[in-house]
Amino acid sequence: MDKKIILSHQQIEHKIRRIAYQIYETFIDDTDIVIAGISSGGYVFANKIADELEKISDIKISRCEVFMDKDNPLGTVTTSIPATAYSNKGLVLVDDVLNSGRALIYGVKHFLDVPTTKFKTAVLVDRNHKRYPIKTDFKGISLSTSLLEKVTVVFDEKESLAYLN
């Protein structure tokens, strides 16, 4: 199948900046928040959002990588920082592409065991094929696709792309 570009590097950079501003507006009264990215593409996207947030605000940003087997999300979910580091803080759970919602919902479930002051979710591409009751608070783009199509996001310093194949 051919690749169809759905977001160029410049468009992705714009989406990151816009989502960072939305997060800042949501957490404007907080002094410290956690940006948690689901391992792999979600964590890369989370770091890009955190970098932008650090440029536009004085909120202390903690970064957290969420480890899970996306094919078996019922398995153990762990994080790169201890639960005490995100306890009683605002938290944004980030992934690159929302397909069925399975990874995001199990990621949310993990963080529900620790009290947070606010809990939001962010994705770059929301495919609108949710099988789980998950809502994205911040999204770069909503995209209606067939179930046979696959969205891939490639993050690179010089040429990030999101494409459909």
Side-chain angles (χ1 to χ4, degrees):
M1 277 205 258
D2 292 326
K3 294 179 183 178
K4 180 180 187 254
I5 295 174
I6 54 175
L7 289 172
S8 68
H9 181 77
Q10 183 178 8
Q11 290 169 318
I12 290 173
E13 293 298 310
H14 175 75
K15 303 288 184 198
I16 290 167
R17 194 170 310 108
R18 185 176 55 77
I19 289 170
Y21 273 103
Q22 289 174 320
I23 291 170
Y24 179 42
E25 289 169 1
T26 300
F27 291 92
I28 196 156
D29 295 327
D30 293 63
T31 57
D32 189 359
I33 65 171
V34 176
I35 305 295
I38 295 176
S39 193
S40 200
Y43 186 61
V44 173
F45 186 44
N47 275 312
K48 290 181 174 293
I49 292 170
D51 289 345
E52 196 63 34
L53 270 166
E54 288 171 340
K55 291 178 192 173
I56 63 173
S57 77
D58 55 359
I59 297 173
K60 181 179 180 282
I61 309 296
S62 299
R63 298 164 195 239
C64 173
E65 188 168 5
V66 180
F67 302 100
M68 73 169 56
D69 178 356
K70 287 186 176 185
D71 295 326
N72 179 24
L74 287 173
T76 305
V77 176
T78 59
T79 58
S80 62
I81 62 176
T84 54
Y86 50 83
S87 180
N88 296 309
K89 293 182 182 171
L91 189 134
V92 181
L93 182 61
V94 179
D95 205 359
D96 55 348
V97 179
L98 177 64
N99 287 308
S100 68
R102 183 173 57 180
L104 208 56
I105 197 109
Y106 283 102
V108 167
K109 179 182 177 281
H110 171 79
F111 287 103
L112 291 178
D113 293 333
V114 177
T116 56
T117 57
K118 273 185 213 153
F119 194 122
K120 301 292 181 184
T121 57
V123 297
L124 179 61
V125 180
D126 182 344
R127 290 195 52 206
N128 298 322
H129 288 300
K130 293 179 209 72
R131 289 184 288 164
Y132 295 85
I134 189 78
K135 172 184 159 289
T136 53
D137 298 294
F138 313 109
K139 62 184 140 195
I141 187 173
S142 288
L143 186 67
S144 295
T145 61
S146 79
L147 290 171
L148 299 175
E149 294 173 305
K150 182 176 193 271
V151 173
T152 303
V153 178
V154 178
F155 289 108
D156 186 276
E157 288 302 315
K158 295 180 180 161
E159 196 59 35
S160 295
L161 290 173
Y163 60 87
L164 187 64
N165 61 354

